[in-house]
Amino acid sequence: MHCYLSDLPDEILHSIFTFVSDTPSYVGPCICYQLRPLSKKWKEDLDVGRGNLWALATRDLSLDYWPRNVGTAYSAHDAEVSFEESRRPAKRPRNYFNNSAANTRRSARIQPASPHEKYKHAYNLLMSRTETALLELTEHVHSSKKPLTLSIMKKILKEFSPIAINRRVRTGGTFLVEVCRSRHVPESVILKCVKLLIEEHGADPNVPSAEVGQGLASSTTLTLGRRSAASGEVTCYTSSQGKELYAIIIAAARAMPSVVKYLLSCKNIDHTVKGSSRFRLFSNPRKSVKGVDLSALEFAMKMREEEIENEIAEAELSCLNKVIRLLEKIS
């Protein structure tokens, strides 16, 4: 079979792996995992050749979701150039390299030598930017002094763009899940940020985060992906490596009806997904409710039961009741 595959043009090979990859940033790793082990010839071919194929895979790193109504009729060279230009650093002062020590440190070995090496370099930059952007977002999510706002969300996305919006980082987090965790902000701000991520940046509400800690069972320990042939670094995959947590579950457990309603309106949303986490009670923040493998509806109902046991006022249950009605309506 691999003999026939090797005769295919790079563009067709790229189309095949685009079809089987969850997101564009997975195309390159899929090529490595599926083709390199087939034979020594494939390994050598991918490591030193296939320039068009790697250029197309590098292009995919510039937008980590499948855009609607976008054609693919442009060359691999144009794709590579456009990606490199988008990541071109700011100009340095003219005398920046005048220092002899600085000139000594420069080496041709720093620059990727082959198309495969160029792809690995671009891939590593993408994942590094993604982790840094998510770390900055997390700081605002939990900050009472400088909480998350829509302008801050836009600033982070613009500053670190392009990022892998649908990839879990090594700590297990995703952008959409982190936004839904936001504290010290009104629900309307969370809704605006969720809409921004989904409508303008292609965030997928069906991509879970991995819960680490939270008082869950030992089986929830995050398992990192194996050392990637495409990246040269340890990566964390979108597929579940531990206990999953979805944006819609957080929105339901935290009684955010407008966010739940919007997520339910998203195309292909799966409202039956199950997740595990721990949430504080509104009536008594010193207490929390732990749930393992519960759906959004099950989590919301469990939260309501615990709130009632802690003698919450009926009026304060209105948002949680709205969430339950929304989820029951489609169940």
Side-chain angles (χ1 to χ4, degrees), residues 11 14 42 83 126 131 177 203 240 289 291 297 326:
E11 289 76 11
H14 175 262
W42 260 119
F83 179 81
L126 173 71
E131 292 198 15
V177 168
S240 174
V289 177
L297 177 59
L326 284 169

Side-chain angles (χ1 to χ4, degrees), residues 5-255:
L5 283 175
S6 62
D7 295 332
L8 294 176
D10 290 338
E11 289 76 11
I12 294 180
L13 279 175
H14 175 262
S15 296
I16 292 172
F17 284 98
T18 296
F19 179 78
V20 301
S21 300
D22 291 335
T23 67
S25 64
Y26 273 123
V27 173
C30 281
I31 291 172
C32 283
Y33 283 136
Q34 301 300 324
L35 293 184
R36 290 180 89 253
L38 291 180
S39 67
K40 183 177 180 181
K41 180 181 182 302
W42 260 119
K43 181 179 181 300
E44 294 176 351
D45 195 20
L46 290 173
D47 287 348
V48 300
R50 294 283 178 174
N52 287 338
L53 180 61
W54 288 121
L56 288 167
T58 302
R59 178 204 68 187
D60 293 328
L61 301 180
S62 64
L63 191 69
D64 197 31
Y65 65 96
W66 306 119
R68 299 175 182 175
N69 302 323
V70 175
T72 57
Y74 57 110
S75 68
H77 172 72
D78 293 338
E80 185 176 20
V81 169
S82 63
F83 179 81
E84 292 298 329
E85 287 181 348
S86 68
R87 300 310 311 158
R88 186 174 295 167
K91 292 183 179 179
R92 298 185 176 94
R94 291 183 179 179
N95 61 348
Y96 182 83
F97 289 116
N98 286 346
N99 185 283
S100 58
N103 286 327
T104 303
R105 289 194 297 269
R106 297 181 69 190
S107 170
R109 294 180 60 188
I110 297 176
Q111 301 298 324
S114 67
H116 183 210
E117 289 295 323
K118 289 181 180 180
Y119 174 82
K120 289 199 298 183
H121 179 68
Y123 181 90
N124 290 338
L125 285 177
L126 173 71
M127 299 310 298
S128 176
R129 287 195 306 273
T130 301
E131 292 198 15
T132 305
L134 191 60
L135 178 61
E136 183 167 331
L137 172 63
T138 303
E139 292 177 357
H140 292 287
V141 162
H142 300 287
S143 174
S144 59
K145 295 181 178 180
K146 199 172 181 181
L148 182 66
T149 64
L150 182 61
S151 61
I152 288 176
M153 185 79 255
K154 289 181 177 179
K155 177 179 176 294
I156 292 173
L157 293 172
K158 182 178 180 181
E159 180 180 354
F160 294 98
S161 178
I163 56 177
I165 200 75
N166 289 315
R167 295 289 294 275
R168 288 197 332 219
V169 300
R170 285 176 289 184
T171 56
T174 67
F175 286 86
L176 197 57
V177 168
E178 286 302 312
V179 164
C180 290
R181 293 181 193 270
S182 296
R183 302 170 61 188
H184 313 292
V185 296
E187 182 181 338
S188 59
V189 172
I190 296 177
L191 178 60
K192 290 177 182 178
C193 291
V194 167
K195 286 184 176 181
L196 175 70
L197 288 172
I198 293 177
E199 295 176 5
E200 298 186 27
H201 296 273
D204 185 354
N206 291 324
V207 174
S209 68
E211 285 294 273
V212 182
Q214 301 289 336
L216 300 172
S218 59
S219 61
T220 63
T221 303
L222 177 65
T223 303
L224 298 178
R226 58 178 173 172
R227 190 168 294 275
S228 168
S231 68
E233 293 184 349
V234 175
T235 58
C236 182
Y237 298 99
T238 300
S239 58
S240 174
Q241 302 290 340
K243 291 298 182 181
E244 299 173 337
L245 183 60
Y246 296 82
I248 193 170
I249 292 177
I250 299 176
R254 297 188 65 196

